[in-house]
Amino acid sequence: MRETQLAASQLVLPLFVRGGRKLRRPIASMPGVFQLSPDELLLEATSAHEAGVPAVLLFGIPETKDAKASGAYAANGIVQTSVRLLKKHLPQLLVITDVCLCEYTQHGHCGIVQPAGARILNDPTLKLLARTAASHVEAGADMVAPSDMMDGRVGAIRQGLDRLGFTETPIMSYAAKFASAFYGPFREAAESAPKFGDRRTYQMDPANAQEAMREVAMDIQEGADIIMVKPALAYLDIVQRVKQEFGYPTAAYSVSAEYSMIKAAAANGWIDERALTIECLLAMRRAGADILITYAATSAARWLNER
Ligand code: PBG
């Protein structure tokens, strides 16, 4: 009788990697989540995989940041190195990389900034994003996920990949990504808080649903294979509309503060962490999400397989 199925095979675990060895640096606002050195990343990915999580989503924290986000597309950058390591030791694990510049620019914006006007320059950013995606796929990434929200980036990335012969590498587009206060803890984790202004000139207004449909249509036209809605819980109406109107494989990203809120309430003994985590994931599935991206993926997979 159950209308909606929830399984570990639908989960994706986001992971944060930085240089070093034997490093597990806790993220204060996300208990149980760490910045990991590549060796520790491999351990974390292995236990996720053993629990039944089929995919990870990688975020890198570079040694240095600059105006052109050089670390994002360096052949031996932190993400590129880590992808090679993961694919070597865990070939069955699907490795998705987040494609964005905000962790790599010293101002923390997702695009190139014109210093005078402090404006984000959309078109000059596209080349760098395409270069970043190409460098991830050259290192062995199975899928790229652009999260910058510049207009035209899916097309630029698709063209760049095709030109290099990576015609079969899929793009999971953060198509409807809202300028949300739910990203607060992530910016501590990825050290990517903008140093001035905010992201509202490129991320979406939480008041807009119709615009989200236009963003999705544009990304599909440019060649997106999977559509992501982000955040998840407060945007399930968007998830449902995207699934119904486009019928594309749809991912819901349960973002950092969704995780932190449950962790904080659980630490106070106010809620049942396990029941609430599963209930939220089930709600995303009920709304129409095929893929669930969550920091709780490993424990959720274990809980689901215990039942
Ligand atoms: C990078 C990016 C962000 C998140 C994913 N990719 C942060 C932002 O846009 O500020 C947020 C994820 C989360 O909160 O868990 N652009």
Side-chain angles (χ1 to χ4, degrees):
M1 299 301 176
R2 206 164 208 226
E3 297 171 25
T4 308
Q5 307 302 327
L6 174 63
S9 60
Q10 295 148 350
L11 303 173
V12 176
L13 175 68
L15 289 169
F16 301 100
V17 62
R18 69 179 307 152
R21 283 203 60 214
K22 296 216 180 308
L23 181 83
R24 285 178 79 79
R25 189 182 289 182
I27 294 148
S29 55
M30 300 177 76
V33 179
F34 304 84
Q35 291 182 349
L36 304 163
S37 52
D39 52 327
E40 293 287 330
L41 174 83
L42 181 58
L43 296 178
E44 197 78 12
T46 304
S47 44
H49 195 47
E50 281 169 2
V53 177
V56 295
L57 173 60
L58 272 195
F59 292 91
I61 299 121
E63 300 287 324
T64 55
K65 302 176 188 253
D66 60 32
K68 291 183 306 190
S70 323
Y73 40 86
N76 287 316
I78 185 66
V79 167
Q80 293 80 356
T81 316
S82 305
V83 168
R84 278 186 221 111
L85 184 75
L86 289 177
K87 291 309 295 182
K88 178 170 168 213
H89 295 280
L90 294 171
Q92 305 294 345
L93 178 75
L94 190 94
V95 177
I96 312 168
T97 55
D98 182 90
V99 174
C100 195
L101 304 186
C102 62
E103 298 100 328
Y104 304 91
T105 53
Q106 81 275 65
H107 46 67
H109 276 290
C110 304
I112 295 297
V113 166
Q114 176 194 47
R119 291 175 73 96
I120 317 300
L121 301 173
N122 190 95
D123 291 7
T125 302
L126 300 183
K127 268 193 231 61
L128 301 186
L129 292 167
R131 218 171 135 183
T132 303
S135 73
H136 293 174
V137 177
E138 271 168 344
D142 298 297
M143 190 189 296
V144 290
S147 71
D148 52 281
M149 285 298 275
M150 299 299 134
D151 289 338
R153 90 272 203 220
V154 173
I157 290 172
R158 184 72 270 159
Q159 272 182 19
L161 292 180
D162 288 354
R163 215 176 294 127
L164 291 168
F166 298 118
T167 52
E168 293 179 13
T169 305
I171 299 176
M172 172 162 71
S173 169
Y174 289 68
K177 177 173 176 181
F178 290 85
S180 169
F182 279 104
Y183 307 152
F186 171 93
R187 293 180 187 168
E188 181 196 345
E191 301 182 9
S192 67
K195 295 280 188 300
F196 65 88
D198 53 45
R199 302 209 203 290
R200 286 186 299 172
T201 61
Y202 41 104
Q203 297 182 352
M204 289 186 47
D205 183 345
N208 291 1
Q210 201 52 49
E211 185 189 3
M213 300 308 119
R214 292 198 295 276
E215 290 279 3
V216 171
M218 196 160 87
D219 283 9
I220 287 176
Q221 216 209 343
E222 290 175 27
D225 301 280
I226 299 174
I227 294 304
M228 191 201 297
V229 176
K230 177 186 172 188
L233 204 53
Y235 295 82
L236 292 185
D237 58 322
I238 308 290
V239 172
Q240 188 175 34
R241 278 185 68 174
V242 166
K243 188 66 194 178
Q244 277 180 356
E245 289 185 28
F246 299 95
Y248 260 60
T250 303
Y253 193 150
S254 182
V255 299
S256 52
E258 297 180 46
Y259 173 86
S260 304
M261 290 193 304
I262 291 183
K263 280 289 182 185
N268 277 303
W270 294 339
I271 52 121
D272 176 338
E273 177 179 352
R274 175 175 170 158
L276 197 50
T277 301
I278 297 296
E279 185 177 332
C280 288
L281 292 171
L282 189 63
M284 292 164 209
R285 288 280 299 142
R286 197 187 60 239
D290 306 289
I291 299 169
L292 310 171
I293 305 170
T294 169
Y295 299 97
T298 304
S299 19
R302 290 194 186 118
W303 293 330
L304 288 168
N305 290 330
E306 266 171 31
R307 287 197 301 188

